[in-house]
Amino acid sequence: MKEKKNLNEKYEVGLMIISVVIIIALMVGMTMFPETGKAIGAAVMHALTYTFGSAMQLFTAIILIFLVALAFSKYGNIRFGNCKPEYRTMSWVAMMFFTGLGAGTVYWAFLEWGYHFNAAPALAGVPISEAYAYELSLTYAIYDWGPAAWALLCVFVLPFAYHYYIKKDNELRFGALCKYSLGEKAVNGWFGKIVNFIFIFAAVGSICISAGSAASTIAAAIADLIGINTSFTLMVIVLIGTAVLYSISSLLGIEKGMRKISDWNVYFCISLLAFIFIAGNTQYILDSMVNALGILSKEFGRMTLWTDPVARTGYPQDWTVFYLVYWLVFGPFTGLFVAKISKGRTVREIIINMLITGTAGLFLFFGIVTAYQQGLRIDGILDVPAMLTNGESEMIATATINTLPFAKIAMVLYLVVIILFLATTLDATSFTLSSTITRKLGNGEEPDKKLKFAWCLLLVAIPIAIAYAGTDISTIKAIVLATGLPLLVILVIIYHGFLRELMKDFGGKTKDEIIALSRMEEDQ
């Protein structure tokens, strides 16, 4: 009895149990009643992307402008913890990058332009040539994972970091951020529990979708490499193997585990991209990337706010708005983790690195892979858009890698990259979920390893169960993205309190006074 009491004092046991039960119940319900689930999913997606689409686009533009203004204001000098950065810049950026975008990066880098090409997006609202379809499909692939995406992730980092390092509150939970607007009573009551549940549901749901897609791709690559047929069993082995890897990383902690894996993956990613860049039509790849950068620079505002009100093709709703909602749902989980690893960093450093460095990494990844694949289609070697039309999405990455010289070596390198991406994402997720369940988490302290391992098992078990039961992944995606609307409301509540505290603590201080207050202890 005493042990149970101590457990409840340290952890939100009830919240974890209720969250897991609801998530499992939803999965079972969608499996048992697939048609009803699809109808609900379709209705949810239509409401999110069409009814609230314009509002979401406008909201994103406002956030992006706000973050840039904040970075270059006097408040950009606020340092989260008066000390040297806890992690060297490359490690910090790497962990931020691999956590913020997840394993889906490697999966979608090989696919997305093909969907855009098939849809033939028309910025001018008129039919376009095939040549311009190539150009726009690359530009849109980069846009969907670019500054707008990073802005929706970054906006959650700042209140988490301010709460933890400036206000020195060791309750590192999403619901706790609302107390500056609503007070302790609301946060400690049912409202706080509901907010924390939404956080857990959004994190588990979005990661399970990402893990399922990545695992299928990894299984296809392994099957191709060793000459066997891909299967459900192979996908299970992939997920379990990845679970073992990230469990080891999780047990070692951020410094010895995740930081080192992220550092290694930077070098593996650079090696893979450099190999594709050199082995492919280098001039075409470079020209296409520079061209896409030009289109993006010119059309970024329109791409963000284009609603297609006359033709009503549904393209901006099905793609732009969908991604904006996805990043919003992914934001709280990323925000908590990035805040935790940003000790010693300033507001300006966080915003600039997320908006610019994060975007630059995605520009290289999507730019090189997409341009290489486009060159293959032009030369009549591999037709990615046609493969997507024929339902062969899981085979596209392996088919692309097989066109390279030394294909087997390239395939091994590709497998290492996507497995480490997945392991890093799952490790960060188990960390954030464990932090949410933990009532207090001291500065420099990490959640209990047993708790992280429990989440680790759950994050692997759910994608396996989804694949085994044959649950419609589009329906699950719609239900998970439905949390976007309440998250929008919660974010407004959080920022009402966050900005009020920011003004109270630093509003009356000059830039020089803020710099002096934020000086590293070693320099004082």
Side-chain angles (χ1 to χ4, degrees), residues 436-449:
T436 301
I437 297 301
T438 306
R439 293 185 185 276
K440 301 289 181 182
L441 195 65
N443 201 338
E445 185 182 354
E446 293 192 24
D448 185 82
K449 292 176 180 178

Side-chain angles (χ1 to χ4, degrees), residues 229-240:
N229 293 325
T230 186
S231 63
F232 170 74
T233 303
L234 184 57
M235 194 196 82
V236 171
I237 293 171
V238 165
L239 280 170
I240 292 174

Side-chain angles (χ1 to χ4, degrees), residues 310-322:
V310 179
R312 304 300 292 174
T313 61
Y315 180 84
Q317 289 76 24
D318 292 339
W319 283 99
T320 304
V321 177
F322 168 81

Side-chain angles (χ1 to χ4, degrees), residues 61-114:
I62 292 170
I63 285 178
L64 193 53
I65 294 168
F66 164 75
L67 289 174
V68 172
L70 186 66
F72 292 99
S73 71
K74 66 179 182 179
Y75 303 106
N77 297 292
I78 298 171
R79 187 178 300 278
F80 295 120
N82 296 79
C83 60
K84 287 183 177 180
E86 191 171 7
Y87 302 100
R88 63 194 180 100
T89 300
M90 193 194 87
S91 299
W92 177 60
V93 171
M95 288 191 285
M96 182 190 299
F97 182 84
F98 296 130
T99 300
L101 298 170
T105 306
V106 188
Y107 176 79
W108 282 103
F110 286 84
L111 272 64
E112 184 161 334
W113 79 272

Side-chain angles (χ1 to χ4, degrees), residues 222-264:
I222 292 174
D224 181 87
L225 186 65
I226 61 180
I228 63 172
N229 293 325
T230 186
S231 63
F232 170 74
T233 303
L234 184 57
M235 194 196 82
V236 171
I237 293 171
V238 165
L239 280 170
I240 292 174
T242 306
V244 170
L245 177 61
Y246 90 79
S247 294
I248 294 171
S249 169
S250 182
L251 291 173
L252 289 172
I254 294 177
E255 174 60 34
K256 294 180 180 179
M258 185 174 177
R259 183 189 66 79
K260 289 187 177 180
I261 288 179
S262 298
D263 286 352
W264 294 340

Side-chain angles (χ1 to χ4, degrees), residues 97 100-109 112-113 116 138-151 153 210 296 300 319 322-324 326-327 330 354-355 358-363 365-366 421:
F97 182 84
L101 298 170
T105 306
V106 188
Y107 176 79
W108 282 103
E112 184 161 334
W113 79 272
H116 291 305
L138 171 56
T139 306
Y140 262 98
I142 294 170
Y143 170 83
D144 287 337
W145 298 68
W150 282 102
L153 299 178
S210 178
L296 187 63
F300 183 83
W319 283 99
F322 168 81
Y323 263 114
L324 295 179
Y326 177 80
W327 295 123
F330 214 70
M354 293 194 79
L355 296 187
T359 299
L362 262 298
F363 173 74
F365 213 111
F366 276 75
F421 248 108

Side-chain angles (χ1 to χ4, degrees), residues 66-81 92 96 154 157-159 161-162 166 342 344-355 495 498-499 502 506 514 518:
F66 164 75
L67 289 174
V68 172
L70 186 66
F72 292 99
S73 71
K74 66 179 182 179
Y75 303 106
N77 297 292
I78 298 171
R79 187 178 300 278
F80 295 120
W92 177 60
M96 182 190 299
C154 182
V157 178
L158 302 179
Y162 198 88
I166 304 298
S342 295
R345 301 287 174 177
T346 64
V347 169
R348 184 174 297 121
E349 282 181 285
I350 292 173
I351 294 174
I352 288 176
N353 272 283
M354 293 194 79
L355 296 187
Y495 262 78
F498 166 55
L499 293 177
L502 186 70
F506 295 97
I514 291 175
S518 300

